[in-house]
Amino acid sequence: MKTELKKKLSKVKDFENPRISLEQYQTPPALATDLLHAAEMQGDLEEVIDLGTGTGIFAIGAALAGTEVTAVEKDSKALKTAKENAEKLGVAEKIEFIQKDVREVSGSWKTVFMNPPFSQHSEEGSRFWVKATAIGEKVYSVSPSTGREGIKSLIKSSNHRVVELEEFKINLPATNGFHTQENRETSVDLIITEVIDNGN
């Protein structure tokens, strides 16, 4: 499953003109595959919402596994690309795309996927975590290793607990004008959280 999923996700089109203010970059297919596979192994690929779907890689990956997905994105251009990607990979009918700021999302889902902004230029990343832990039973996230302690503090103040945290090295392309290297190695954490069961 992993090899085939990674192959399909490698066809997901990237951002054409990434917005610096939203810190847009596409989640590497290998990383998205690892997180989706972990969710499938835990039986969590159901009632899925992808917060800040970007070009749709998490939503599309979950849909390829047969799941109905809600994909939320506030940037209209990114959302258009995500829809095109879903159509190209034949899963558009399984994904409900919604243009909305994550703070306006209401409801409840079993599983939240997200790769929020790394918050070097904004507080967006914190807003994602606050919303994700409020609406989801489980959260699967890619987060910057440099912000690990702050994220753990946010989770601790919510009704969630960290189930798993693993650090990965990824190469991010120089998509923004202020990046001087063609590719820069960045440490990211794959973080899985779940609602605390007060009955135990």
Side-chain angles (χ1 to χ4, degrees):
M1 178 264 189
K2 283 185 72 174
T3 303
E4 184 62 25
L5 181 59
K6 181 182 173 183
K7 184 179 178 181
K8 288 180 179 178
L9 292 183
S10 68
K11 297 177 183 177
V12 172
K13 182 182 176 184
D14 203 347
F15 295 97
E16 286 187 7
N17 297 294
R19 290 176 58 183
I20 294 173
S21 62
L22 299 180
E23 300 184 55
Q24 292 175 329
Y25 77 91
Q26 181 158 288
T27 307
L31 201 64
T33 300
D34 282 344
L35 212 56
L36 287 157
H37 182 67
E40 185 177 54
M41 292 298 98
Q42 295 299 314
D44 290 332
L45 278 187
E46 56 183 68
E47 296 177 45
V48 170
I49 185 169
D50 181 11
L51 290 183
T53 194
T55 58
I57 198 162
F58 282 133
I60 290 167
L64 284 166
T67 305
E68 300 282 337
V69 186
T70 301
V72 178
E73 172 59 51
K74 72 176 181 179
D75 182 52
S76 59
K77 289 183 179 179
L79 199 63
K80 181 175 181 288
T81 301
K83 290 178 180 178
E84 290 170 354
N85 281 326
E87 288 168 6
K88 180 170 66 176
L89 286 159
V91 292
E93 75 285 352
K94 288 188 172 294
I95 305 173
E96 181 186 10
F97 290 100
I98 300 172
Q99 186 175 355
K100 184 178 286 188
D101 188 293
V102 295
R103 289 172 292 182
E104 299 170 359
V105 175
S106 61
S108 60
W109 284 264
K110 179 173 183 179
T111 305
V112 178
F113 282 96
M114 63 178 186
N115 182 356
F118 282 11
S119 298
Q120 296 168 8
H121 306 287
S122 70
E123 293 300 315
E124 283 289 298
S126 298
R127 294 180 189 133
F128 271 72
W129 273 106
V130 169
K131 180 58 68 174
T133 53
I135 66 173
E137 293 178 24
K138 298 283 288 285
V139 178
Y140 288 76
S141 176
V142 179
S143 296
S145 298
T146 53
R148 182 183 299 164
E149 293 310 310
I151 290 168
K152 285 169 71 176
S153 178
L154 273 171
I155 295 166
K156 193 174 182 179
S157 66
S158 74
N159 63 338
H160 275 234
R161 67 181 183 92
V162 176
V163 177
E164 190 171 334
L165 190 157
E166 189 169 351
E167 183 175 334
F168 284 77
K169 300 282 188 184
I170 63 172
N171 284 309
L172 296 183
T175 52
N176 294 322
F178 56 82
H179 294 158
T180 54
Q181 298 171 296
E182 185 175 338
N183 285 282
R184 57 193 179 97
E185 188 175 70
T186 302
S187 294
V188 298
D189 293 336
L190 297 191
I191 301 177
I192 303 173
T193 73
E194 67 180 10
V195 169
I196 297 168
D197 183 357
N198 292 320
N200 292 327

